[in-house]
Amino acid sequence: MKSNIIKIFCLSALMFGIGSSVNAQFRQSIYLNGNIPTGNFGSSISSNQTTVPLTYEHIGRDASIGFGAGYRASYRFDVGMGEVAPFVGVDLFWNMIGKEWREKYMDADYSTPTYFNIPILAGVSYFYDELWNDITPFGEFGIGADLMMITREGLGSGENNGLTYFAYKPNFAMAWMIGAGAWFGRHVSAGLYYYGLGTHPIDYTQKTLDKNTAAAAQVALNESLNHGREKRSVGSLALRIGFHF
């Protein structure tokens, strides 16, 4: 009896798998986004606290509204009450530092730091049945890791190369995403998302400490010793437009 139940279960699972395969659709998607920084990442820096360059103690803050793009591969199939689609994807968020600080860097003739976040996520989307006029609402969740990069600040071109600059190590942190929106037909979607991009450590590169001018290297070393390891909580509220093929 027990053997028969196992056989029936295995046969049912096989038939379900075959049925799902028949109805499954492999999709590739390209996204464009606009994003608003949150957490420490979006917090302002008082001009009374510091001057340019921001250095270790203040970098990783005051990010402005940014833009970006993304790619995703997914496998969409019917589950009876709507559809689900496991996915893997990578996004790029690009943010400049706030306008007030950009102007200060320009006035000082320093290169301006720029922020890049690259979340790599795996997750699942759920699609409700079409409501009207080919509009299909969806919700999704993903988890993975975010790579944060900060371009260096200070003098760093021509004869001044390496004179006074501060460069930062790329670093990873655990990340997650939640979003909801709608597909319009089969090839275009729009959604509102929140990305929790983790708490990122801020560290100088070894080259900053070893190859910088004596004065700048000493500033970097003193900051590292006196402030401990700086960390920044990074988040992003994003509007994403998707194109699906």
Short mmCIF file of all heavy atoms in Angstrom, two decimals, residues 109-110 152 154-165 212-213:
data_model
loop_
_atom_site.label_atom_id
_atom_site.label_comp_id
_atom_site.label_asym_id
_atom_site.label_seq_id
_atom_site.Cartn_x
_atom_site.Cartn_y
_atom_site.Cartn_z
N ASP A 109 38.89 72.66 -7.43
CA ASP A 109 39.56 71.96 -8.53
C ASP A 109 39.95 70.53 -8.12
O ASP A 109 41.02 70.04 -8.47
CB ASP A 109 40.79 72.73 -9.00
CG ASP A 109 41.23 72.27 -10.39
OD1 ASP A 109 40.38 71.76 -11.14
OD2 ASP A 109 42.43 72.41 -10.71
N TYR A 110 39.06 69.86 -7.37
CA TYR A 110 39.24 68.47 -6.97
C TYR A 110 38.30 67.58 -7.79
O TYR A 110 37.21 68.01 -8.17
CB TYR A 110 38.89 68.28 -5.49
CG TYR A 110 39.98 68.64 -4.52
CD1 TYR A 110 41.20 69.18 -4.93
CD2 TYR A 110 39.79 68.45 -3.15
CE1 TYR A 110 42.19 69.51 -4.02
CE2 TYR A 110 40.77 68.78 -2.24
CZ TYR A 110 41.96 69.32 -2.67
OH TYR A 110 42.94 69.64 -1.77
N ARG A 152 37.47 57.87 -6.51
CA ARG A 152 38.34 58.61 -5.61
C ARG A 152 38.12 60.11 -5.72
O ARG A 152 37.60 60.63 -6.72
CB ARG A 152 39.79 58.25 -5.87
CG ARG A 152 40.45 58.86 -7.08
CD ARG A 152 41.88 58.35 -7.15
NE ARG A 152 42.65 59.07 -8.15
CZ ARG A 152 43.96 58.88 -8.32
NH1 ARG A 152 44.61 57.99 -7.59
NH2 ARG A 152 44.62 59.57 -9.24
N GLY A 154 39.81 64.17 -4.85
CA GLY A 154 41.04 64.93 -4.67
C GLY A 154 41.71 65.23 -6.00
O GLY A 154 41.09 65.15 -7.06
N LEU A 155 42.99 65.59 -5.95
CA LEU A 155 43.76 65.85 -7.16
C LEU A 155 44.29 64.53 -7.69
O LEU A 155 44.89 63.77 -6.95
CB LEU A 155 44.93 66.79 -6.86
CG LEU A 155 44.55 68.21 -6.41
CD1 LEU A 155 45.79 68.98 -5.99
CD2 LEU A 155 43.83 68.94 -7.53
N GLY A 156 44.07 64.28 -8.97
CA GLY A 156 44.51 63.00 -9.47
C GLY A 156 44.64 62.92 -10.96
O GLY A 156 44.27 61.93 -11.57
N SER A 157 45.14 63.96 -11.61
CA SER A 157 45.32 63.92 -13.06
C SER A 157 46.55 64.75 -13.43
O SER A 157 46.97 65.65 -12.70
CB SER A 157 44.08 64.47 -13.77
OG SER A 157 43.87 65.82 -13.42
N GLY A 158 47.10 64.44 -14.57
CA GLY A 158 48.24 65.19 -15.08
C GLY A 158 49.42 65.17 -14.12
O GLY A 158 49.74 64.16 -13.51
N GLU A 159 50.08 66.32 -13.97
CA GLU A 159 51.25 66.41 -13.10
C GLU A 159 50.88 66.22 -11.64
O GLU A 159 51.74 65.90 -10.81
CB GLU A 159 51.93 67.76 -13.30
CG GLU A 159 52.51 67.95 -14.70
CD GLU A 159 53.18 69.30 -14.84
OE1 GLU A 159 53.15 70.06 -13.85
OE2 GLU A 159 53.72 69.58 -15.92
N ASN A 160 49.61 66.44 -11.30
CA ASN A 160 49.20 66.33 -9.91
C ASN A 160 48.78 64.91 -9.53
O ASN A 160 48.29 64.70 -8.43
CB ASN A 160 48.01 67.27 -9.64
CG ASN A 160 48.44 68.72 -9.67
OD1 ASN A 160 49.52 69.05 -9.22
ND2 ASN A 160 47.58 69.57 -10.21
N ASN A 161 48.95 63.97 -10.44
CA ASN A 161 48.50 62.61 -10.17
C ASN A 161 49.10 62.08 -8.87
O ASN A 161 50.30 62.03 -8.70
CB ASN A 161 48.89 61.70 -11.33
CG ASN A 161 48.31 60.31 -11.16
OD1 ASN A 161 47.19 60.18 -10.67
ND2 ASN A 161 49.06 59.31 -11.53
N GLY A 162 48.20 61.71 -7.94
CA GLY A 162 48.65 61.16 -6.67
C GLY A 162 49.09 62.21 -5.67
O GLY A 162 49.59 61.86 -4.61
N LEU A 163 48.92 63.51 -5.98
CA LEU A 163 49.39 64.54 -5.06
C LEU A 163 48.59 64.54 -3.76
O LEU A 163 49.13 64.44 -2.67
CB LEU A 163 49.31 65.92 -5.72
CG LEU A 163 49.76 67.10 -4.86
CD1 LEU A 163 51.21 66.94 -4.43
CD2 LEU A 163 49.56 68.41 -5.60
N THR A 164 47.28 64.68 -3.89
CA THR A 164 46.40 64.66 -2.72
C THR A 164 45.10 63.98 -3.12
O THR A 164 44.25 64.61 -3.74
CB THR A 164 46.08 66.09 -2.23
OG1 THR A 164 47.31 66.78 -1.98
CG2 THR A 164 45.27 66.05 -0.95
N TYR A 165 44.97 62.72 -2.80
CA TYR A 165 43.76 62.00 -3.18
C TYR A 165 43.40 60.98 -2.11
O TYR A 165 44.23 60.58 -1.28
CB TYR A 165 43.93 61.31 -4.53
CG TYR A 165 44.84 60.11 -4.48
CD1 TYR A 165 44.33 58.83 -4.22
CD2 TYR A 165 46.21 60.24 -4.67
CE1 TYR A 165 45.17 57.74 -4.14
CE2 TYR A 165 47.05 59.15 -4.59
CZ TYR A 165 46.53 57.90 -4.33
OH TYR A 165 47.35 56.82 -4.24
N ASN A 212 50.25 58.03 -1.39
CA ASN A 212 49.79 59.41 -1.35
C ASN A 212 50.94 60.33 -0.91
O ASN A 212 52.00 59.86 -0.50
CB ASN A 212 48.63 59.52 -0.36
CG ASN A 212 47.55 60.47 -0.83
OD1 ASN A 212 47.82 61.41 -1.57
ND2 ASN A 212 46.34 60.22 -0.39
N THR A 213 50.72 61.64 -1.00
CA THR A 213 51.69 62.56 -0.42
C THR A 213 51.74 62.33 1.09
O THR A 213 50.80 61.80 1.69
CB THR A 213 51.29 64.01 -0.68
OG1 THR A 213 49.99 64.23 -0.13
CG2 THR A 213 51.30 64.32 -2.15
#
